[in-house]
Amino acid sequence: MNDYTGIAQMMIGAIATGAFVIGAFFMRFWRVTRDRFFLLFALSFWIETVNRVLLGAVPMWREDTPAYYLLRLLSYALILFAILDKNRRKE
């Protein structure tokens, strides 16, 4: 079992659920506009969802492991790339 107690597990689940729902909203906007800005944001939030689910469900997946931070780095890099790409493109 993880080092996390019940309230921490609930918070991890709530954050994962919130990230999933936000990703679904961005995906809906992408389906309407086909703007990859929304697609990249959706993917970023879903990567964060997977990261949180792994944090709560896999005992060896902890906040002090490099893989945890690499997934977060990928998620944040997607957001940064989406913003830079949106500002660079001419529509």
Side-chain angles (χ1 to χ4, degrees):
M1 192 67 184
N2 270 343
D3 298 340
Y4 300 106
T5 59
I7 192 76
Q9 288 286 90
M10 268 189 352
M11 291 303 297
I12 289 171
I15 293 168
T17 302
F20 180 80
V21 169
I22 292 168
F25 275 113
F26 280 120
M27 184 56 74
R28 185 180 72 158
F29 296 138
W30 175 76
R31 288 175 63 205
V32 170
T33 66
R34 294 293 182 196
D35 186 352
R36 73 176 158 208
F37 175 81
F38 296 120
L39 178 64
L40 292 173
F41 265 64
L43 292 174
S44 174
F45 277 98
W46 285 340
I47 289 170
E48 185 60 28
T49 299
V50 169
N51 202 18
R52 294 296 173 160
V53 168
L54 288 173
L55 183 63
V58 178
M60 294 180 306
W61 195 265
R62 298 182 349 186
E63 290 180 333
D64 61 350
T65 59
Y68 176 81
Y69 286 106
L70 288 176
L71 270 181
R72 289 192 101 178
L73 179 64
L74 175 63
S75 176
Y76 295 146
L78 276 176
I79 290 174
L80 182 61
F81 176 75
I83 292 169
L84 292 174
D85 183 55
K86 182 70 172 178
N87 287 318
R88 180 175 54 87
R89 275 190 290 150
K90 300 284 188 222
E91 292 189 32

